[in-house]
Amino acid sequence: IEHFARDDRLVGHRVLITAGPTREPLDPVRFITNRSTGQQGFAIAEACLAAGAQVTLVAGPVNLPTPPGAARIDVETAAQMHAAVMQQAPAHDLFIATAAVADYRAAEPAERKLKKSAETLSIELVRNPDILASVAALSERRPFCVGFAAETHDVIAYARDKLQRKRLDLICANEVGGGKGFEADDNALHVLWDAGGVELPRQGKRELANALLDVIIERYHASHG
Ligand code: CTP
Ligand code: CA
């Protein structure tokens, strides 16, 4: 680990990160997913490794190489991501949830390919577990919890609501849609906590990951006395 470290701010600290989309099958050849390349999460993993952290990356289907030094767990569905994260979380000090988790999955994925027939088709969807809220609700060995909120409108208000509702330590909000955020090369973030916040201006995802990590580390150390 020391081999990759630029500094020692997170030496001895274990960071769990979710990244990428999840994929919820409708039948053996079709699925519902979210727009996400996983870049932001992988860049944060790299920044954590550079600060000397031990990093576990739980990744949905993405086309990205594993950052050297990270332990990677590949998953496909939200249920699989939830199971992997709940198993790993108690052994980590920080949890950073960057994944674009599908909010719903098919109630009963078809075992055989759906054939087209009628002009309209309805598929019943059921809610997926909220991975971040589940970790933040742990009563023992609860890591410091950092969430993301991708919003198309009322960014700050929705993000503050998520911070409180999910009982997070920190939330990073960004505006998406219209070429912003997902699948864009650069991004801007509003980082919010209970008693404050800071704006990180539009920049490349790698620089943004480093700037964000500075804030996360500051808040994390502040909350651990
Ligand atoms: N998240 C999660 N598990 C889910 C849904 C979201 O861990 N099932 C995490 C995301 O990784 C992100 C944060 O929760 O860090 C907020 O995700 P977002 O989709 O913005 O919030 P939701 O609570 O799903 O609300 P909505 O989609 O209705 O805005
Ligand atoms: Ca959602």
Side-chain angles (χ1 to χ4, degrees):
I1 290 161
E2 289 79 1
H3 186 73
F4 305 103
R6 273 197 305 268
D7 63 72
D8 60 4
R9 290 176 300 165
L10 288 178
V11 168
H13 299 267
R14 298 155 301 178
V15 184
L16 178 63
I17 301 169
T18 62
T22 66
R23 211 176 249 186
E24 314 298 326
L26 298 177
D27 73 10
V29 296
R30 302 185 181 96
F31 52 81
I32 312 178
T33 192
N34 279 346
R35 277 189 197 282
S36 168
T37 60
Q39 277 181 74
Q40 190 74 72
F42 276 59
I44 291 169
E46 278 172 23
C48 290
L49 287 160
Q54 188 179 311
V55 173
T56 306
L57 190 51
V58 179
V62 294
N63 210 334
L64 295 170
T66 306
R72 176 171 178 172
I73 302 170
D74 285 309
V75 298
E76 201 151 300
T77 64
Q80 288 165 359
M81 186 176 278
H82 183 257
V85 166
M86 294 320 284
Q87 195 212 16
Q88 292 292 326
H92 291 78
D93 306 297
L94 275 110
F95 177 50
I96 306 176
T98 77
V101 182
D103 290 330
Y104 293 89
R105 66 178 182 278
E108 285 175 48
E111 277 170 31
R112 298 159 142 209
K113 187 184 162 190
L114 295 165
K115 299 302 286 180
K116 75 181 167 208
S117 54
E119 282 301 317
T120 65
L121 169 68
S122 300
I123 296 174
E124 192 185 0
L125 303 179
V126 294
R127 281 265 293 266
N128 273 327
D130 191 310
I131 300 165
L132 177 56
S134 306
V135 173
L138 288 173
S139 54
E140 273 168 53
R141 306 205 51 88
R142 174 193 182 277
F144 183 88
C145 290
V146 181
F148 277 72
E151 312 286 353
T152 57
H153 60 285
D154 297 322
V155 178
I156 305 273
Y158 280 123
R160 283 241 167 252
D161 178 60
K162 280 172 192 171
L163 178 74
Q164 288 172 358
R165 203 161 28 84
K166 303 194 191 203
R167 300 174 173 280
L168 307 180
D169 298 290
L170 209 62
I171 193 150
C172 315
N174 65 331
E175 196 178 324
V176 292
K180 290 178 180 167
F182 293 138
E183 293 173 5
D185 288 331
D186 60 1
N187 200 359
L189 287 176
H190 311 269
V191 189
L192 310 172
W193 57 93
D194 229 16
V198 65
E199 306 290 308
L200 302 180
R202 184 158 296 276
Q203 54 197 301
K205 285 187 175 176
R206 182 179 298 263
E207 296 104 77
L208 188 64
N210 286 316
L212 173 58
L213 189 62
D214 292 346
V215 181
I216 293 175
I217 290 174
E218 193 193 302
R219 300 312 312 161
Y220 169 64
H221 287 321
S223 82
H224 287 66

